[in-house]
Amino acid sequence: MDFSLTTMFVLPPNNLYPSTGSTESLLAKQFGIYGANYALYTTADEPYIYLAQGRFENIDNTGSKRSAKIAKSKLVSFYKVSAEQNTRNQRTILSNFKIKCGEEMVITIRAHSNYIDAGFANGYTHSVVVPAPCCDCGSDPCSEVDPVDVGKMLDDAVQKFSESGPFMGSVLSNYITVSRAGGGGPAATQLVIEGKPLKKDGRIADISANPWEYDRLWYSVFVTKAADTTQDYMTYDRCEQIATITTTPQYGYVRGSSDEIFHMEKYYYSYQTPHFKDLMCNESWNGAFESYVVDGQFYDTYYIKFLSYDDNYTFDNALPQDQTVIVAIPAGQGVQFEEIMTLYLGPFKNYSGVPVTISSTTTTSTTII
C-alpha cells in the first residue's frame, strides 16, 4: 500500500537514553526504547519493542508519545537517510567558440525549478543572438573570428542576458548569473553560467500550512549558429553546437534541514495524538502540538515500516494496514540508536546516496540532468 499510519519522533541534540524506569520517567523531549511490560529494552528476545518520548504538554493525561509495537517478525523495512547540506549549484562554462565572420551566434538557456515549471511550460527559455563582426578587410572573409572579437561578443551576450525579457522583467536573472571569465589567454573567451541558490519561503505565521518543498534549479545550455538570412529557415545542421559546453551539475537536494523536519512534524502530527488532531491558524488553539525541531540543525532520518503485532490478518474483506515510525536524530548522533535497533531488527539499509563530489562532464552539447 502507498499509505501507512505514521508516527514521527524528533530527538533533541545529545539525547540521553534512559537507563532506569519506564515511560513515566521520561523528561520532556527525552527519547527511549522499551520492550514488553513497559520495561527498558535489554534483550533481543523481546516479543516486540516500542519507542517513546516525553512530552511538554500532557493533555488529558495522554502521557508520553509512543509508537505501536514493533516486532521483528512483522518488519517490512528498516532504512536510514543521512542529512545532506552540501549541495552545489550547477555551473556551466562555454569555451572553444567556432564562429566565422558575418555569422550570428545564438546562446539559449532553458531553466527548470518547481516555481519556474509552474509558470512556464517545459521550463523558462531565454535566447540571445550575438552577431559576429565582418572580416571584409582580411584575406579570407569567412575565416574564424579573432579571439579578441570573441571576447567582445561574449560581453555583448552578457549584456543581453541582463536586459529585461518580453514580460515579467528578466526572469532568468532571478535564478542564473552569466559572466565572462576574467584573465587573459583562453579564459578570456569563456562564458560562465552559474545557478543561484533558490529563495526559501521560510516558515509562515499560519502553522496549519506546509510551505517547505523539495526543490532545485537545473538548466540546459545550447550554443548554435543562426540561419544566414531570415529567408533561410533551414540550415545544414540546425542543432550544430559551435562551442564546447562543460557542466558541473547541481548535486541532488538538501536533505534533513530543520525546515524539512518541521514540515514533516506538522504533516504527520494528526496520526500521533488522540486529541486536538487538527492544526489551526491560531496557535493558541493547538493544545497538543509541540515542535522539537532546533532551527538550523540538520537531521538524519530513520524509517521503520512494519505490520501490526496484534493483528493475525485472518481472512476478511479488508486489506492489512502497515505502520511507519520515522525517527529524526541530529546529524551524526544516531550511533546508539543504530546499535540498539540493529541488535533487535538486524542491519538497516542506507539510502543516503553517494556523498557530494565535484565532477565535470564535457561534451559538444549540453548536459541534461
Side-chain angles (χ1 to χ4, degrees), residues 221 226 260 293 305:
V221 182
E260 176 188 352
V293 171
K305 181 172 286 190

Side-chain angles (χ1 to χ4, degrees), residues 289-317:
F289 177 75
E290 301 169 344
S291 176
Y292 295 164
V293 171
V294 177
D295 288 344
Q297 175 72 59
F298 276 78
Y299 293 84
D300 298 330
T301 46
Y302 298 82
Y303 295 79
I304 308 168
K305 181 172 286 190
F306 54 96
L307 299 174
S308 174
Y309 173 79
D310 298 313
D311 195 336
N312 293 320
Y313 301 114
T314 55
F315 178 79
D316 56 26
N317 61 355

Side-chain angles (χ1 to χ4, degrees), residues 80-111:
K80 170 187 178 180
V81 179
S82 297
E84 179 58 79
Q85 56 182 311
N86 296 319
T87 58
R88 293 172 173 84
N89 296 320
Q90 181 175 335
R91 191 170 191 264
T92 301
I93 298 177
L94 310 184
S95 60
N96 300 324
F97 292 89
K98 304 297 182 182
I99 186 76
K100 293 183 179 180
C101 300
E103 293 180 336
E104 290 184 327
M105 177 175 62
V106 182
I107 303 176
T108 300
I109 302 176
R110 180 174 297 152

Side-chain angles (χ1 to χ4, degrees), residues 231-266:
Q231 303 261 338
D232 297 326
Y233 59 91
M234 294 182 66
T235 61
Y236 176 72
D237 185 356
R238 179 65 187 87
C239 296
E240 177 188 5
Q241 298 290 308
I242 59 172
T244 299
I245 302 173
T246 305
T247 294
T248 300
Q250 184 202 49
Y251 179 85
Y253 297 83
V254 171
R255 297 193 303 265
S257 68
S258 56
D259 287 337
E260 176 188 352
I261 302 303
F262 182 67
H263 166 92
M264 294 171 66
E265 267 189 327
K266 293 188 294 180

Side-chain angles (χ1 to χ4, degrees), residues 20 55 70 75 142 173 221 225 234 253 261 336-337 342:
T20 59
R55 302 177 190 256
I70 304 172
L75 181 68
C142 295
S173 65
V221 182
K225 183 171 57 177
M234 294 182 66
Y253 297 83
I261 302 303
Q336 187 172 356
F337 177 79
T342 299

Side-chain angles (χ1 to χ4, degrees), residues 133-322:
C134 295
C135 303
D136 295 338
C137 299
S139 58
D140 183 1
C142 295
S143 63
E144 290 190 1
V145 176
D146 183 89
V148 174
D149 289 323
V150 171
K152 294 178 180 178
M153 293 176 65
L154 299 184
D155 288 337
D156 188 13
V158 172
Q159 177 61 33
K160 289 182 176 180
F161 272 119
S162 66
E163 294 172 354
S164 296
F167 60 96
M168 293 180 63
S170 181
V171 175
L172 195 67
S173 65
N174 294 320
Y175 298 93
I176 292 173
T177 61
V178 181
S179 61
R180 182 159 71 99
T189 56
Q190 293 181 353
L191 196 68
V192 180
I193 302 170
E194 191 161 12
K196 295 180 179 180
L198 290 173
K199 296 180 179 178
K200 296 181 180 179
D201 283 339
R203 297 183 189 174
I204 60 178
D206 186 352
I207 197 171
S208 64
N210 296 305
W212 188 88
E213 63 178 343
Y214 295 89
D215 196 8
R216 70 179 181 124
L217 170 73
W218 65 275
Y219 58 86
S220 307
V221 182
F222 310 89
V223 186
T224 56
K225 183 171 57 177
D228 292 336
T229 72
T230 56
Q231 303 261 338
D232 297 326
Y233 59 91
M234 294 182 66
T235 61
Y236 176 72
D237 185 356
R238 179 65 187 87
C239 296
E240 177 188 5
Q241 298 290 308
I242 59 172
T244 299
I245 302 173
T246 305
T247 294
T248 300
Q250 184 202 49
Y251 179 85
Y253 297 83
V254 171
R255 297 193 303 265
S257 68
S258 56
D259 287 337
E260 176 188 352
I261 302 303
F262 182 67
H263 166 92
M264 294 171 66
E265 267 189 327
K266 293 188 294 180
Y267 187 82
Y268 295 117
Y269 164 70
S270 64
Y271 303 144
Q272 59 194 36
T273 182
H275 304 286
F276 306 104
K277 289 181 175 291
D278 296 322
L279 290 179
M280 309 298 179
C281 299
N282 188 330
E283 292 192 31
S284 62
W285 295 347
N286 298 322
F289 177 75
E290 301 169 344
S291 176
Y292 295 164
V293 171
V294 177
D295 288 344
Q297 175 72 59
F298 276 78
Y299 293 84
D300 298 330
T301 46
Y302 298 82
Y303 295 79
I304 308 168
K305 181 172 286 190
F306 54 96
L307 299 174
S308 174
Y309 173 79
D310 298 313
D311 195 336
N312 293 320
Y313 301 114
T314 55
F315 178 79
D316 56 26
N317 61 355
L319 291 173
Q321 177 68 67
D322 62 39

